[in-house]
Amino acid sequence: MQPSAKVNQRIARISAHLCPFNLQTDETSILRRENCRTKGGSSGFKVAILGAAGGIGQPLAMLMKMNPLVSVLHLYDVVNSPGVTADISHMDTSAVVRGFLGQQQLGSALTGMDLVIIPAGVPRKPGMTRDDLFNINAGIVKTLCEGIAKCCPHAIVNLISNPVNSTVPIAAEVFKKAGTYDPKRLLGVTMLDVVRANTVVAEVLGIDPREVDVPVIGGHAGITILPLLSQVKPPSSFTPQEINYLTDRIQNGGTEVVEAKAGAGSATLSMAYSAAKFADACLRGLKGDAGIVECAFVASEVIELPFFASKVRLGRTGVEEIYPLGPLNEYERMGLEKAKKELAASIAKGISFIRK
Ligand SMILES: NC(=O)c1ccc[n+]([C@@H]2O[C@H](COP(=O)([O-])OP(=O)(O)OC[C@H]3O[C@@H](n4cnc5c(N)ncnc54)[C@H](O)[C@@H]3O)[C@@H](O)[C@H]2O)c1
Ligand SMILES: O=C(O)C[C@H](O)C(=O)O
């Protein structure tokens, strides 16, 4: 007996759904699911992850697929994105997942996105600084940002690729060159420093890390990472030994993981967690939620450097307010002076990579 036309249609739809990487076949299924969601009233945001098949990219893709604010999730990489996409697409959460492989698909990956998260690039090995990654990652970030300027110039960009102190200025220069630069929409992700700081401070205080909030300012490399322990919430005091111990753990948390992984990369899982937390804050800001405040490395006038990490308020247009640093103690003022020199050099290196 021949199956009816209706059964054939259902089989075609199911086959399309089983093939999430094939854009042609999958288009109907995706449109149908997007329409469904529109009818249900929750449209959600479109998010792309560039470098989605990497150590950070994969768990980050999983966490973003679990975020109810995400309606469409684009996973782009130069390798292995079909497998990651097929895998993630089986999760029974509402975001529609599409995969994109190789530079010829970068434009399709980016078109229409509200938020682009970039963990693409090489990670450190023991003995390397983040700046040692500049030669490879600067070019990767440049290419990806050129794509963003062309295909989704109004998207919020969360930049994770190291060295963040230089890659954010690179991105800004690419956007300026393209005439699309909006400093409110470009954010270097320093959330992992805050996450680490909350964890180690909670350990010392003997309380739940979820109750702790440590502002971390400056940048994202060694001495440029400046935890403001005098502004910890809940208000707490630390001995000089505790301050030295905590500052060292927070500034060298990345190196601690690189050494423990012994050549197999740097922080991926705690970074994916931090990136997902930060992206969620950006999406809640875009949605119009009030009082969303996080630390990020942004174009700033809080000190004399053109970029600086500090507390920012996130809203419908991205960074809507940058908070002043607040009162610093003598230890923190000295730390800031030391950090400024390195930060200035890293920022200048990023800018001249594009202006050269
Ligand atoms: N901001 C932070 O706090 C923080 C924390 C941890 C790691 N990082 C940085 O994040 C980056 C990624 O780390 P990882 O552990 O995921 O590395 P990884 O090597 O595991 O993954 C990187 C991914 O990027 C992809 N990639 C390379 N070139 C690309 C291109 N041109 N376009 C798209 N994708 C490309 C690779 O194929 C790979 O899948 C590194 O630079 C690392 O230093 C930053
Ligand atoms: O340390 C690294 O190289 C990766 C990342 O910047 C981190 O802080 O873990």
Side-chain angles (χ1 to χ4, degrees):
M1 199 173 75
Q2 291 296 312
S4 70
K6 211 168 171 187
V7 169
N8 276 335
Q9 275 172 9
R10 274 186 72 183
I11 292 170
R13 278 206 303 267
I14 290 164
S15 320
H17 183 68
L18 286 174
C19 183
F21 200 71
N22 184 330
L23 290 177
Q24 295 304 317
T25 350
D26 197 34
E27 205 61 37
T28 327
S29 141
I30 286 170
L31 286 176
R32 190 169 44 82
R33 290 157 73 194
E34 282 173 358
N35 285 342
C36 263
R37 236 189 313 283
T38 311
K39 280 184 203 144
S42 103
S43 52
F45 293 102
K46 298 182 178 177
V47 177
I49 301 177
L50 313 182
I56 297 166
Q58 292 199 34
L60 177 58
M62 182 180 82
L63 293 169
M64 294 313 290
K65 175 79 167 93
M66 291 164 69
N67 188 318
L69 293 177
V70 179
S71 58
V72 174
L73 182 60
H74 283 190
L75 303 180
Y76 171 81
D77 205 303
V78 290
V79 293
N80 300 337
S81 41
V84 175
T85 305
D87 191 351
I88 296 279
S89 75
H90 289 181
M91 292 170 64
D92 61 352
T93 61
S94 65
V96 173
V97 185
R98 290 163 167 162
F100 301 86
L101 179 66
Q103 215 184 315
Q104 68 284 4
Q105 294 191 353
L106 179 61
S108 311
L110 290 171
T111 301
M113 293 299 107
D114 301 301
L115 172 69
V116 180
I117 314 175
I118 312 184
V122 291
R124 283 200 283 164
K125 289 192 187 312
M128 292 171 82
T129 66
R130 292 177 182 82
D131 185 59
D132 292 332
L133 306 172
F134 186 97
N135 287 345
I136 298 180
N137 290 353
I140 294 175
V141 168
K142 175 177 180 279
T143 307
L144 297 176
C145 289
E146 284 166 351
I148 292 169
K150 208 167 145 195
C151 301
C152 54
H154 302 299
I156 304 278
V157 177
N158 288 179
L159 191 39
I160 295 171
S161 318
N162 270 318
V164 168
N165 295 353
S166 301
T167 54
V168 171
I170 289 173
E173 289 302 311
V174 170
F175 296 149
K176 278 182 202 169
K177 229 175 168 175
T180 65
Y181 183 47
D182 177 357
K184 294 162 80 175
R185 295 180 180 270
L186 172 61
L187 301 97
V189 181
T190 57
M191 188 79 178
L192 179 54
D193 302 314
V194 174
V195 162
R196 284 181 178 137
N198 292 345
T199 304
V200 290
V201 165
E203 267 165 33
V204 165
L205 295 176
I207 59 176
D208 187 322
R210 288 170 299 183
E211 288 166 23
V212 179
D213 179 28
V214 186
V216 183
I217 63 163
H220 179 68
I223 58 161
T224 72
I225 301 170
L226 292 169
L228 298 183
L229 296 171
S230 65
Q231 295 181 23
V232 164
K233 285 186 195 148
S236 315
S237 58
F238 302 98
T239 64
Q241 290 78 4
E242 284 172 337
I243 290 174
N244 282 332
Y245 166 79
L246 288 168
T247 305
D248 180 61
R249 285 290 307 280
I250 297 161
Q251 290 185 333
N252 296 310
T255 305
E256 190 177 312
V257 178
V258 168
E259 282 169 3
K261 290 199 174 180
S266 57
T268 53
L269 303 173
S270 53
M271 182 59 233
Y273 166 81
S274 306
K277 202 172 168 183
F278 188 70
D280 179 65
C282 290
L283 294 179
R284 283 184 289 126
L286 280 181
K287 184 159 80 69
D289 286 4
I292 312 289
V293 177
E294 300 292 351
C295 290
F297 186 69
V298 295
S300 174
E301 289 175 357
V302 293
I303 67 162
E304 62 272 26
L305 296 170
F307 295 91
F308 197 74
S310 58
K311 279 195 169 183
V312 304
R313 183 170 54 77
L314 300 164
R316 288 191 192 277
T317 61
V319 177
E320 298 202 328
E321 188 176 355
I322 302 178
Y323 293 98
L325 302 186
L328 307 189
N329 62 27
E330 184 54 23
Y331 184 88
E332 291 161 353
R333 272 196 299 276
M334 277 166 50
L336 178 58
E337 284 316 306
K338 279 192 239 157
K340 276 185 196 170
K341 213 173 146 203
E342 181 174 325
L343 260 177
S346 304
I347 292 168
K349 188 171 175 179
I351 293 173
S352 61
F353 177 74
I354 301 297
R355 289 197 192 164
K356 69 188 174 229

